[in-house]
Amino acid sequence: MKILEKFGKEEIAYVYLGKTSRGNLVEFVESIQPPIPRDEKWVLIVSTLNGCPVQCMMCDAGGFYKGKLTKEEILEQILYLVNTRYSKKVPVKKFKIQFARMGEPSLNDEVLEVLKELPEILDAPGLLPSISTVAPIGTNDFFEELYEIKEKFYRNRFQLQFSIHSTDENQRDKIIPIKKWNFERIALYGEKFVREGDRKVTLNFALAKENIVDSKVIKSYFSPEKFLIKITPVNPTYSAIKNGLHSDIDLNSFMPVNHKNFVEELKEYGYDVLISIGELEENNIGSNCGQYVQKHLLEKQKIENAYNFVK
């Protein structure tokens, strides 16, 4: 791995632009969550594809696709950060590796090979892998093997997240413009995936004011015993602005404005609801979900309140 650029702050996050051993340009991130120290929680966010064919409406990492990264290229990102901070022994209580910087992970079976090898490569008792997915049609084999890997290596310490964003099927197809699992298919898989002691499957809403959300739809498909709801802002990205998406999360109250009733009703139905804001400084670094530094570098008309560390 050759590091080309590094942007950010030691006490929050860094975004790395690197060239892999096969010559692919990748972005990957390391972050902490002040005031929690690094030895308590350390998060790595790595790319799994060179670009992304999905092109979600709020994500800057779509728009081009040049193929899958190999197992070695994904591991290069992880091991570069691990070796910079520690060695193969990672004494972090919650060491989270998210396969979510660039690319839909279920479109690359090499992600599964990485998950199999991580317990052998790293001495990391706090390792918590995290897959965030839109579950494209045609990835059934990936998810069947993912379940087997979780059962063998990561019981009680694996985080699986499905991107939902809207409960209206037509709108959801516009936000995530790819053929994907419907709610019934996600629900069936989640019921199987979560066994005793496992983390609940996360249903994520990057909540824009324009999004259509109905708690009754969620209740009709998903069990509060197996699924939790995560509400996140629509982060400042070029794609969100281009597509007219405005975040519904008030950053002072940490609550939705237009969709406050949606959250309250979900809680009444018995769901765990997490409002996940994160460090706002990460928007300036370009390390938040949906952001992509290479997109910013190519744009002539720069957006405000984002990517300010990228020169």
Side-chain angles (χ1 to χ4, degrees):
M1 175 67 67
K2 180 181 179 180
I3 301 303
L4 305 177
E5 297 283 354
K6 174 183 174 182
F7 308 103
K9 297 174 69 174
E10 176 72 14
E11 61 271 27
I12 297 178
Y14 284 117
V15 178
Y16 296 84
L17 274 60
K19 181 178 286 189
T20 70
S21 56
R22 296 179 69 242
N24 283 309
L25 294 177
V26 294
E27 286 190 21
F28 51 104
V29 172
E30 62 164 328
S31 69
I32 59 175
Q33 186 179 339
I36 302 172
R38 195 181 310 275
D39 59 1
E40 292 284 334
K41 182 179 180 181
W42 188 37
V43 179
L44 311 187
I45 310 172
V46 300
S47 295
T48 59
L49 304 176
N50 187 350
C52 185
V54 179
Q55 300 185 50
C56 293
M57 287 179 67
M58 72 291 288
C59 184
D60 279 351
F64 75 97
Y65 177 59
K66 297 182 180 179
K68 303 173 183 179
L69 299 181
T70 65
K71 174 188 70 175
E72 289 74 19
E73 289 177 297
I74 299 171
L75 285 172
E76 284 173 25
Q77 300 169 68
I78 296 170
L79 293 178
Y80 175 84
L81 296 173
V82 167
N83 291 332
T84 298
R85 297 286 180 184
Y86 302 101
S87 61
K88 297 300 174 64
K89 182 177 179 62
V90 184
V92 177
K93 289 185 179 180
K94 186 176 182 180
F95 174 39
K96 186 174 179 180
I97 300 179
Q98 297 179 235
F99 297 84
R101 179 61 182 181
M102 178 173 60
E104 162 57 48
S106 68
L107 295 177
N108 188 355
D109 288 345
E110 294 291 275
V111 172
L112 300 173
E113 300 305 312
V114 172
L115 288 170
K116 291 176 190 176
E117 290 199 14
L118 281 176
E120 298 180 6
I121 295 173
L122 300 177
D123 179 6
L127 177 61
L128 175 68
S130 175
I131 295 282
S132 180
T133 180
V134 302
I137 293 295
T139 56
N140 289 10
D141 289 346
F142 177 96
F143 285 103
E144 287 304 311
E145 187 169 357
L146 179 66
Y147 171 75
E148 295 172 3
I149 291 170
K150 185 268 295 184
E151 287 293 292
K152 183 175 181 179
F153 298 105
Y154 302 107
R155 282 299 306 275
N156 308 331
R157 56 190 185 98
F158 194 95
Q159 185 178 74
L160 176 62
Q161 174 176 293
F162 289 97
S163 299
I164 305 297
H165 306 318
S166 173
T167 56
D168 179 86
E169 290 185 9
N170 291 329
Q171 186 184 55
R172 186 166 181 257
D173 285 341
K174 292 179 181 178
I175 296 172
I176 310 169
I178 192 173
K179 292 183 178 180
K180 54 197 167 295
W181 287 5
N182 59 22
F183 291 162
E184 182 178 10
R185 183 70 185 86
I186 293 172
L188 286 171
Y189 183 79
E191 290 289 332
K192 171 186 175 180
F193 193 84
V194 179
R195 298 183 61 187
E196 185 177 357
D198 280 338
R199 290 170 169 261
K200 295 179 181 180
V201 170
T202 299
L203 304 177
N204 175 238
F205 289 83
L207 202 55
K209 293 178 179 179
E210 296 78 13
N211 289 14
I212 301 169
V213 288
D214 186 342
S215 62
K216 295 183 180 63
V217 174
I218 298 299
K219 182 176 182 289
S220 68
Y221 287 101
F222 303 105
S223 163
E225 284 72 42
K226 295 292 183 77
F227 295 88
L228 66 83
I229 312 299
K230 180 180 174 184
I231 308 292
T232 57
V234 175
N235 292 315
T237 64
Y238 291 92
S239 296
I241 293 171
K242 175 185 175 182
N243 292 307
L245 296 179
H246 304 86
S247 183
D248 193 41
I249 306 298
D250 180 82
L251 299 180
N252 294 313
S253 66
F254 294 163
M255 284 293 292
V257 178
N258 291 5
H259 301 305
K260 185 176 181 180
N261 288 343
F262 173 65
V263 171
E264 296 303 326
E265 289 167 1
L266 288 170
K267 291 178 179 178
E268 290 175 5
Y269 289 145
Y271 291 98
D272 295 328
V273 181
L274 174 64
I275 310 292
S276 180
I277 305 296
E279 291 295 317
L280 298 182
E281 189 76 297
E282 288 203 52
N283 288 330
N284 290 322
I285 294 169
S287 57
N288 261 330
C289 183
Q291 294 188 302
Y292 186 58
V293 166
Q294 292 179 66
K295 173 74 170 178
H296 172 73
L297 292 173
L298 291 172
E299 290 289 332
K300 294 181 180 179
Q301 189 68 36
K302 308 300 185 185
I303 62 176
E304 298 180 358
N305 301 320
Y307 300 108
N308 293 327
F309 279 76
V310 183
K311 304 299 182 182

